[in-house]
Amino acid sequence: MLFTISEMQTKLRQHIEKIIPLTDEEFAVVFSHFSFRKVKKHQFLIQEGDSVNHSYFVVSGLLKLSYTDANDKEHILHFAMEDWWVSDYKAYFTKAKATMSLDCLEDANVFCLSLDDHNKLCGSLPKMEHFFLTKSHYGYIASQQRILSLLTTSAKERYEQLLIQYPSLIQRVNKTLLASYLGVSRETLSRLSS
Amino acid sequence: MLFTISEMQTKLRQHIEKIIPLTDEEFAVVFSHFSFRKVKKHQFLIQEGDSVNHSYFVVSGLLKLSYTDANDKEHILHFAMEDWWVSDYKAYFTKAKATMSLDCLEDANVFCLSLDDHNKLCGSLPKMEHFFLTKSHYGYIASQQRILSLLTTSAKERYEQLLIQYPSLIQRVNKTLLASYLGVSRETLSRLSS
DNA sequence: ATTTCAGCGTGATGTAGATCACATTAAGAG
DNA sequence: CTCTTAATGTGATCTACATCACGCTGAAAT
């Protein structure tokens, strides 16, 4: 799927306007704070140890945010597809080094927002602070739900929930990655789905 | 520990001023949006099925936010002590019915903020939107860390992390509750700590 | 002062899921 | 078109943790 910049711009605008209405002038201000980047499969936007300079809005494609533990086992915090915001936010907001990595599973188009530009944008357009606050609330709520699902349900139930919630992911992501998102071994997931 | 209203007011102000400075007039505006409530041990601030009218700032005392599953097993999302904000935020922001409950483990003093007042406050004092955004970011980051800890570590490791991170909790909360926060059975936790 | 019960430890046993090992197939790379 | 590597399924075994069952202790309720 190919997009022109102007189509992608529209996607970003529609995304924001789900929460706050914007005039053309306002959107122009918003848009001027972003930069654009194409990412190819297997490319990293963030690697462990990097400074994290941007938060990313995914226009198209698929990314994964993951953490690799001391035993070299990868754990997936979440996937990020169309219309998602993603970064190692701990590192981003605290200006610390990344402990997570963000890499590309399917060629992607992303808009990039530096912390500096984020702050300037909120300064010049207070509505945007409201937009980000709303987004952040939803992100928080989603994480709480994920915690609950890890605390209360079995691997099988989590897999079934995922099938219902994000049916498309199962087509797009291999089982090994799904397993490490669900918090089970590849082998166990294989046995569950058969 | 007893506090006067004015001491508690100061606590709230100091808490906010860790993030944004406020003039006396501004703080007066802020404060006028809160109400105050004393809560006794075993009292509920939120019960499953309730409408969730408030977000709570804990001045003193100890609360727990928990979810009870289909088998009547309680799972603790988190404890909330001095200086924490707590509510069933999903229900609060979406005006849905509570799926969680919030109840008091040690007599507490809390300031209460309705969604309506939250919005009015942000409207009249945009700085406060920034304050809440910052808080929300930290909440999000903390949940992500919790997810990672559930994905990557054993019950024993999680217990040890907790000992380091919140040593005071171990004194204040009984083992059964600690276990359901850590996501293990009471019996297993007992074996771990001995 | 006796009763009741919450909190905690601990043994015996059951089980979901991890780990190891190997075979098959599909898909990129030269 | 072959060669190599990634993705998946499946058996055998191991282990962390759950569940069930019981006894002890100390605090609160009568």
Side-chain angles (χ1 to χ4, degrees):
Chain A
M1 198 111 62
L2 285 175
F3 298 97
T4 64
I5 280 282
S6 117
E7 281 167 341
M8 294 194 282
Q9 199 172 332
T10 304
K11 286 199 163 210
L12 177 59
R13 180 163 180 178
Q14 284 170 349
H15 172 75
I16 297 171
E17 291 208 294
K18 275 180 204 152
I19 292 170
I20 49 166
L22 293 174
T23 64
D24 289 354
E25 295 70 39
E26 285 170 337
F27 181 68
V29 172
V30 171
F31 193 67
S32 71
H33 290 79
F34 286 84
S35 57
F36 172 72
R37 187 160 167 188
K38 275 189 177 302
V39 206
K40 290 220 160 290
K41 189 165 173 172
H42 297 132
Q43 251 186 289
F44 282 82
L45 282 173
I46 300 172
Q47 274 181 288
E48 196 197 318
D50 286 357
S51 300
V52 177
N53 298 312
H54 298 93
S55 169
Y56 300 97
F57 173 75
V58 183
V59 179
S60 67
L62 183 63
L63 305 163
K64 72 167 203 283
L65 180 70
S66 64
Y67 170 80
T68 301
D69 70 20
N71 309 315
D72 252 352
K73 215 165 126 182
E74 183 181 47
H75 304 270
I76 297 186
L77 277 151
H78 61 81
F79 300 101
M81 36 198 201
E82 193 172 310
D83 267 23
W84 286 50
W85 290 85
V86 61
S87 189
D88 176 344
Y89 282 110
K90 188 179 180 190
Y92 178 71
F93 285 117
T94 66
K95 298 177 202 270
K97 298 297 177 191
T99 56
M100 301 176 191
S101 66
L102 176 60
D103 73 288
C104 185
L105 301 176
E106 291 173 9
D107 292 6
N109 292 308
V110 299
F111 286 119
C112 318
L113 182 63
S114 73
L115 185 55
D116 213 41
D117 280 317
H118 167 107
N119 290 332
K120 282 182 192 155
L121 177 53
C122 292
S124 56
L125 207 61
K127 273 189 205 179
M128 283 303 289
E129 195 126 57
H130 182 70
F131 168 78
F132 287 119
L133 180 54
T134 306
K135 280 284 144 192
S136 179
H137 286 153
Y138 285 119
Y140 180 72
I141 290 167
S143 319
Q144 298 254 91
Q145 293 300 123
R146 176 110 188 268
I147 290 169
L148 268 188
S149 116
L150 289 169
L151 286 176
T152 63
T153 67
S154 68
K156 186 173 196 168
E157 289 169 303
R158 268 175 272 144
Y159 179 63
E160 285 159 0
Q161 278 183 1
L162 188 69
L163 282 177
I164 295 166
Q165 221 182 344
Y166 299 108
S168 71
L169 262 189
I170 282 80
Q171 328 298 323
R172 295 167 74 179
V173 169
N174 74 45
K175 306 283 177 97
T176 306
L177 292 178
L178 275 188
S180 77
Y181 172 80
L182 291 170
V184 286
S185 71
R186 211 209 87 224
E187 294 92 330
T188 298
L189 179 61
S190 166
R191 282 183 257 261
L192 290 179
S193 41
S194 60
Chain B
M1 198 113 58
L2 286 176
F3 298 97
T4 63
I5 279 282
S6 117
E7 281 168 340
M8 295 195 280
Q9 198 172 334
T10 304
K11 286 199 163 210
L12 176 60
R13 180 163 181 178
Q14 285 171 347
H15 173 75
I16 297 172
E17 291 209 294
K18 275 180 202 152
I19 292 170
I20 50 166
L22 293 174
T23 64
D24 289 355
E25 294 71 37
E26 285 170 338
F27 180 69
V29 171
V30 171
F31 194 68
S32 71
H33 289 80
F34 285 84
S35 58
F36 172 71
R37 187 161 166 187
K38 276 190 177 299
V39 205
K40 289 221 160 290
K41 190 166 173 172
H42 297 131
Q43 249 186 294
F44 282 83
L45 283 173
I46 300 172
Q47 273 182 290
E48 198 196 318
D50 286 357
S51 299
V52 177
N53 298 312
H54 297 93
S55 169
Y56 300 98
F57 173 76
V58 182
V59 178
S60 67
L62 184 63
L63 306 164
K64 74 167 201 282
L65 180 69
S66 63
Y67 170 80
T68 301
D69 70 19
N71 310 314
D72 254 351
K73 216 166 125 180
E74 181 180 48
H75 303 270
I76 297 186
L77 265 298
H78 61 81
F79 299 100
M81 36 197 201
E82 191 173 312
D83 267 24
W84 286 49
W85 290 85
V86 60
S87 188
D88 176 344
Y89 283 110
K90 188 179 182 190
Y92 179 70
F93 286 117
T94 66
K95 298 176 202 271
K97 297 297 178 190
T99 56
M100 301 176 191
S101 66
L102 176 61
D103 73 288
C104 186
L105 302 176
E106 290 173 10
D107 292 5
N109 292 308
V110 299
F111 286 118
C112 319
L113 182 62
S114 72
L115 185 55
D116 212 41
D117 280 318
H118 166 107
N119 289 332
K120 282 182 192 154
L121 177 53
C122 291
S124 56
L125 208 59
K127 272 189 205 180
M128 284 303 289
E129 194 125 58
H130 181 71
F131 169 78
F132 288 118
L133 181 54
T134 305
K135 279 284 145 194
S136 179
H137 285 154
Y138 285 119
Y140 180 72
I141 289 168
S143 324
Q144 298 254 91
Q145 292 299 122
R146 177 110 189 266
I147 290 169
L148 268 187
S149 116
L150 289 169
L151 286 176
T152 63
T153 66
S154 66
K156 186 173 196 170
E157 289 169 304
R158 265 174 275 144
Y159 178 63
E160 285 160 1
Q161 278 182 2
L162 188 70
L163 282 176
I164 295 165
Q165 221 183 343
Y166 300 108
S168 71
L169 262 190
I170 281 79
Q171 327 298 323
R172 295 167 75 179
V173 169
N174 74 44
K175 306 280 177 103
T176 306
L177 292 178
L178 275 188
S180 76
Y181 173 79
L182 291 170
V184 286
S185 70
R186 210 210 87 224
E187 294 92 330
T188 298
L189 179 62
S190 165
R191 281 183 257 261
L192 290 178
S193 41
S194 59

